[in-house]
Every structure is written in C-alpha cells, then in structure tokens.
Amino acid sequence: MATKRLSSAKGRNRSSNKAAAAEKRKLILDAAVKVFARKGYYGCRVSDIAEEAKIAYGLVYHYFKSKEDVLNSIFRERWGVFVELLKWLEQQEMPLNDKLSRIVGAVLEGYRLNSEMMEVVVMEIARNSKFFDKTNVEPVKQAIGCIEGMIRREIEAGRIRPGVEPRVAAYTFFSNVEALMTGSVLGAFVVSNAEEQNRLRDQVVDMFLHGIAPEGAA
C-alpha cells in the first residue's frame, strides 16, 4: 500500500512539474512576442525577453537554445493551430465559400485578439528568409496543401470550371490571405470590430471566387 501511495505521489509530482514547465515556457513565448513586436527580432536580445517575462536571464536558455529558437517556436506553435483548422475544414462537407470564409475569418480574428503576434509572424518571420528552412517551410506547404485539397474536391464535383489548376488556385488564395494580414499589420485595414472584420472577409473570398470583372464579362 505504501508503495502504491509513493508511486501515486511521484506521478502527481511529474504532472505538476510538466504543467509548471509548460506555463513557464508559455510565459517566455508571450514575452518574446511583445519584445519582437516592439523592437524587432534583430533589435532585441535574450535579456530583453527575460526582463519582459520577469525571469532570470539564464532561464530562457533552459527552455530554448537561442533567440532564433524562440522565434521559431512562436511560428511553429501558432502555425500548428492554423494547420489543424485547415485539416478539419478539408474534411468537412460544406460549400467552398464557407470553408474559405472560415479561413479568412480565423486570420482576422487572430489579428484582432493578438495584433502583436500577427505582427511578429508577418514582419519578423514571413519576410525573413533566415527562418524559412525546411523545418518551417513544411508546415506552410501543408497548409496550402489543405486548401488545394478543398479546391480539387470542388473541381471534381463540377462546382469549379474545368481547367483551373488546384495548386495554382491554392497558392493564389493563400497569397490573398497573406496580403490581408500584411495590410492589417500596416494599418491599411481596421479589424477592431466584427462588422468590419466580416466585410473584409467577404470581400477577399468573393474576389477570389468571382474576380473583379462585371458579372457576365468575358
């Protein structure tokens, strides 16, 4: 009986330690987002992240190998959430218009809830070739592949005109979403309220699906 109690106590301690480590890691990443957004990746030091998180300088290195590792972790974890959404949408039986609207809506909502995070992803990662090694490129390709799958299904069902190349269409849509993210970060679009958010979402999806020519034009 004593052995069982000791084993149970050890299990609880391990779970508690894991939870504490995860919380500390999140604290560092959240602080890094603020610092990267404020100073830029090249303009800040690991000590700035530690100061923002209110922890000892060396503790950052306990969880991350370097400042680059911190930025990569921000990208992979946030992008992972986005990819999971795309995987789920790809499997759903719903109109393509609704799927694309949910993708754009998720991006705009992400900016509204955490503009600093979006600024880091757009300005410090997406425009920095240093971070687009094989490890980071694969998740991006995976996301575009999900969109390609959605479009391919519509072509096979006859709901998109023949001749459209799914991969080209997927990259085109993805670039539209990326441009919307960039515009939001640069202040070209206001996404502080749901009404404006929905208007931008509908514009992007409608122009992608129907173009900008007058209805019936060649």
Side-chain angles (χ1 to χ4, degrees), residues 12 33 52 77-78 84 106 119 151 167 171 178 186 189 196-197 201 203 211 215:
R12 286 196 298 271
V33 167
E52 181 70 32
E77 293 186 16
R78 296 313 305 165
E84 287 305 310
E119 183 174 341
I151 295 171
R167 182 161 299 175
Y171 271 89
E178 186 180 21
L186 296 178
F189 308 119
E196 183 64 11
Q197 199 170 303
R201 177 200 65 199
Q203 279 276 300
E215 188 173 353

Coordinates of all heavy atoms in Angstrom, one line a residue, residues 12 33 52 77-78 84 106 119 151 167 171 178 186 189 196-197 201 203 211 215:
R12 N 1.9 12.4 -9.5 CA 1.4 13.8 -9.3 C 2.5 14.8 -9.5 O 2.3 15.9 -10.0 CB 0.6 13.9 -8.0 CG -0.7 13.2 -7.9 CD -1.5 13.6 -6.7 NE -0.8 13.3 -5.5 CZ -1.0 12.2 -4.8 NH1 -1.7 11.2 -5.3 NH2 -0.3 12.0 -3.7
V33 N 7.0 37.6 -27.9 CA 6.1 38.2 -28.9 C 6.1 39.7 -28.7 O 6.2 40.5 -29.6 CB 4.7 37.6 -28.8 CG1 3.7 38.5 -29.6 CG2 4.7 36.2 -29.3
E52 N 11.2 41.2 -19.9 CA 9.8 41.3 -20.1 C 9.0 40.2 -19.4 O 7.9 40.5 -18.9 CB 9.5 41.2 -21.6 CG 8.0 41.3 -22.0 CD 7.5 42.7 -21.9 OE1 8.3 43.7 -22.1 OE2 6.3 42.9 -21.6
E77 N 4.3 26.9 -33.2 CA 3.1 26.6 -32.3 C 1.9 27.3 -32.8 O 0.8 26.7 -32.8 CB 3.5 27.0 -30.9 CG 4.5 26.1 -30.3 CD 4.8 26.3 -28.8 OE1 4.0 27.0 -28.2 OE2 5.9 25.9 -28.3
R78 N 2.0 28.6 -33.2 CA 0.8 29.3 -33.7 C 0.4 28.8 -35.1 O -0.8 28.6 -35.4 CB 1.2 30.8 -33.8 CG 1.5 31.5 -32.5 CD 0.5 31.1 -31.4 NE -0.9 31.4 -31.8 CZ -2.0 30.9 -31.2 NH1 -1.8 30.1 -30.2 NH2 -3.2 31.3 -31.6
E84 N -4.2 22.8 -38.1 CA -5.2 21.9 -37.6 C -6.6 22.4 -38.1 O -7.5 21.6 -38.4 CB -5.1 21.9 -36.1 CG -4.0 21.1 -35.6 CD -3.9 19.7 -36.1 OE1 -4.9 18.9 -36.1 OE2 -2.8 19.2 -36.6
A106 N -10.7 33.4 -39.4 CA -9.7 33.0 -38.4 C -8.5 33.9 -38.3 O -8.0 34.2 -37.3 CB -9.3 31.5 -38.6
E119 N 1.8 40.6 -36.0 CA 2.9 41.5 -36.5 C 4.2 40.7 -36.5 O 5.0 40.9 -37.5 CB 3.1 42.7 -35.6 CG 4.1 43.7 -36.0 CD 4.2 45.0 -35.2 OE1 3.2 45.2 -34.5 OE2 5.2 45.6 -35.2
I151 N -10.1 22.7 -53.0 CA -10.4 23.2 -54.3 C -10.5 22.0 -55.3 O -11.3 22.0 -56.2 CB -9.3 24.2 -54.8 CG1 -9.4 25.5 -53.9 CG2 -9.5 24.6 -56.3 CD1 -8.3 26.5 -54.1
R167 N -3.5 23.6 -57.5 CA -2.3 24.1 -56.7 C -2.1 25.6 -57.0 O -1.8 26.4 -56.0 CB -1.1 23.3 -57.1 CG 0.2 23.8 -56.4 CD 1.3 22.8 -56.5 NE 0.9 21.5 -55.9 CZ 1.6 20.4 -55.9 NH1 2.7 20.4 -56.5 NH2 1.1 19.3 -55.3
Y171 N -2.4 28.5 -54.0 CA -1.3 29.5 -53.7 C -1.9 30.9 -53.9 O -1.5 31.8 -53.2 CB -0.1 29.2 -54.6 CG 0.9 28.3 -54.0 CD1 0.8 26.9 -54.2 CD2 1.9 28.7 -53.2 CE1 1.7 26.0 -53.6 CE2 2.8 27.9 -52.6 CZ 2.7 26.5 -52.8 OH 3.6 25.6 -52.2
E178 N -2.4 36.2 -47.1 CA -1.1 36.8 -46.6 C -1.1 38.3 -46.8 O -0.7 39.1 -45.9 CB 0.1 36.2 -47.3 CG 1.4 36.6 -46.7 CD 2.6 36.0 -47.4 OE1 2.4 35.5 -48.5 OE2 3.7 36.0 -46.8
L186 N 0.0 46.7 -41.3 CA 0.4 48.1 -41.7 C -0.6 49.2 -41.5 O -0.4 50.3 -41.7 CB 0.8 48.0 -43.2 CG 2.0 47.2 -43.6 CD1 2.2 47.2 -45.1 CD2 3.3 47.6 -42.9
F189 N -6.1 48.2 -43.0 CA -7.5 47.7 -42.7 C -7.7 47.9 -41.2 O -6.8 47.7 -40.4 CB -7.6 46.3 -43.1 CG -7.2 46.0 -44.6 CD1 -6.2 45.1 -44.9 CD2 -7.9 46.7 -45.6 CE1 -5.8 44.9 -46.2 CE2 -7.5 46.4 -46.9 CZ -6.5 45.5 -47.2
E196 N -16.6 45.1 -39.5 CA -15.5 45.4 -40.5 C -14.8 44.1 -40.8 O -14.4 43.9 -41.9 CB -14.6 46.5 -39.9 CG -13.5 46.9 -40.8 CD -13.9 47.5 -42.1 OE1 -15.1 47.9 -42.2 OE2 -13.1 47.7 -43.0
Q197 N -14.6 43.3 -39.8 CA -14.0 42.0 -40.0 C -14.7 41.1 -41.0 O -14.1 40.6 -41.9 CB -13.9 41.3 -38.6 CG -12.9 40.2 -38.5 CD -12.8 39.7 -37.1 OE1 -12.5 40.5 -36.2 NE2 -13.0 38.4 -36.8
R201 N -13.5 39.9 -44.8 CA -13.6 38.5 -45.1 C -14.4 38.2 -46.4 O -13.9 37.5 -47.3 CB -14.2 37.8 -43.9 CG -14.3 36.3 -44.1 CD -15.4 35.7 -43.1 NE -16.7 36.3 -43.4 CZ -17.7 36.3 -42.6 NH1 -17.6 35.8 -41.4 NH2 -18.9 36.8 -42.9
Q203 N -15.2 40.2 -48.8 CA -14.5 40.8 -50.0 C -13.4 39.9 -50.5 O -13.4 39.7 -51.7 CB -13.9 42.2 -49.6 CG -14.9 43.3 -49.6 CD -15.1 43.9 -51.0 OE1 -14.2 44.4 -51.6 NE2 -16.3 43.9 -51.4
G211 N -13.7 37.0 -59.0 CA -12.9 38.0 -59.7 C -13.5 39.4 -59.5 O -14.3 39.6 -58.6
E215 N -20.3 41.2 -63.7 CA -20.9 39.9 -63.9 C -21.3 39.7 -65.4 O -21.8 40.6 -66.0 CB -22.2 39.8 -63.1 CG -22.8 38.5 -63.1 CD -24.0 38.4 -62.1 OE1 -24.2 39.4 -61.4 OE2 -24.7 37.4 -62.1

